[in-house]
């Protein structure tokens, strides 16, 4: 498993144009394993993950494993995650590791090395990170991502209700914390073509975001499509002119169709087509 010298933003733009702008989550939580008739153990985890990768890794732009659902099984669960990442990337999907890491100094550097170092067992095309120890705390991850051709998705405007107490807080300069994170990302991506590699996580369920400048010249990972209530048709109203750079994430809306591989593929194809239609009409 290796890194790449081509920047993540360029690879993501191409994947979105060729495969459609859709990210499918790999979220093997206990209730989904049960729905699939699988045991809540490492064998069930492996069967679930392999099936999702087999079904959609060759057709969607992005797969996003949630590392917590693998880590809860200890080292054997992490081994399944390593294999899933390897197989997904081999099938042509870009992998965004949803680990939401955030710390300072050497600890942040170690988190970055776990997922962004080119020869790391868990090397992923991008990593979700939390900037709420200050955006500058992410510098080790930013630097290593640039070196490895990887990217970051920074939590900016999340859809969980609790997020507002931090993200909507207003700084002394009158700008909200969330808007500040978006401004930092725009600076990271300045001058990059066709798309910068440093994106934001912005919930698709948040409604009108016209008061925020979402044009960061980078991707916007948008959870909330499907089970959380948002639809592909909602995307233009939420993201406005930035909608072409949105990577909508669907998890349960696709995963609930398993373990049948054909049903999983059909669900992913349906969401991808709906997103394409919505973006084209914007």
């Amino acid at each position: 498993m290796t890194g790449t010298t081509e920047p993540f933003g360029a690879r993501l733009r191409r994947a979105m144009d060729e495969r459609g702008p859709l990210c499918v989550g790999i979220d093997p939580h206990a209730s989904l394993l049960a729905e699939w008739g699988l045991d809540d153990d490492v064998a069930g985890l492996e069967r679930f993950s392999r099936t999702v990768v087999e079904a959609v890794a060759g057709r969607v732009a992005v797969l996003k494993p949630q590392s917590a659902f693998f880590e809860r099984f200890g080292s054997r669960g992490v081994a399944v995650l390593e294999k899933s990442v390897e197989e997904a990337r081999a099938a042509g999907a870009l992998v965004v590791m949803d680990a939401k890491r955030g710390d300072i100094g050497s600890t942040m550097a170690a988190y970055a090395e776990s997922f962004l170092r080119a020869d790391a067992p868990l090397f992923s095309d991008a990593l979700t990170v939390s900037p709420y120890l200050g955006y500058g705390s992410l510098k080790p991850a930013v630097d290593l991502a640039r070196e490895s051709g990887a990217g970051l998705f920074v939590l900016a405007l999340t859809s969980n209700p609790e997020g507002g107490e931090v993200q909507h807080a207003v700084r002394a300069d009158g700008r909200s914390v969330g808007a500040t994170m978006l401004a930092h990302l725009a600076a990271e991506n300045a001058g990059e073509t066709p798309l910068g590699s440093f994106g934001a996580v912005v919930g698709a369920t948040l409604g009108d975001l016209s008061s925020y400048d979402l044009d960061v010249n980078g991707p916007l990972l948008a959870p909330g499509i499907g089970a959380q209530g948002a639809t592909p048709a909602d995307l233009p109203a939420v993201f406005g002119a930035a909608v072409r750079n949105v990577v909508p994430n669907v998890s349960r809306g696709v995963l609930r169709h398993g373990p049948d591989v054909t049903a999983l593929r059909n669900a992913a194809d349906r969401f991808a087509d709906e997103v394409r239609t919505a973006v084209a009409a914007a």
Side-chain angles (χ1 to χ4, degrees), residues 40-189:
D40 187 21
D41 58 17
V42 173
L45 175 74
E46 184 170 19
R47 173 73 183 278
F48 183 98
S49 301
R50 280 185 173 274
T51 301
V52 176
V53 170
E54 176 189 351
V56 303
R59 59 208 308 121
V60 301
V62 180
L63 281 176
K64 182 176 71 65
Q66 169 48 260
S67 66
F69 293 121
F70 296 82
E71 291 173 31
R72 70 192 185 100
F73 292 104
S75 60
R76 292 187 299 161
V78 173
V80 174
L81 180 58
E82 289 178 8
K83 192 67 175 175
S84 298
V85 170
E86 180 182 14
E87 291 178 350
R89 296 189 73 229
L94 300 179
V95 171
V96 173
M97 182 62 68
D98 195 355
K100 298 183 178 70
R101 296 300 196 250
D103 216 303
I104 61 172
S106 59
T107 308
M108 187 68 245
Y111 279 140
E113 289 171 6
S114 299
F115 301 104
L116 301 173
R117 195 186 73 234
D119 61 350
L122 281 169
F123 176 80
S124 302
D125 297 284
L127 172 68
T128 61
V129 291
S130 174
Y132 295 111
L133 288 170
Y135 184 84
S137 67
L138 300 179
K139 188 176 187 302
V142 170
D143 291 347
L144 188 54
R146 289 192 188 281
E147 179 184 326
S148 301
L152 298 177
F153 283 100
V154 177
L155 301 179
L157 297 168
T158 59
S159 56
N160 62 304
E162 304 88 348
E165 69 183 43
V166 175
Q167 296 155 23
H168 297 161
V170 177
R171 294 161 23 113
D173 63 3
R175 187 163 58 181
S176 73
V177 173
T180 300
M181 298 309 159
L182 294 170
H184 281 301
L185 291 169
E188 296 287 2
N189 294 322

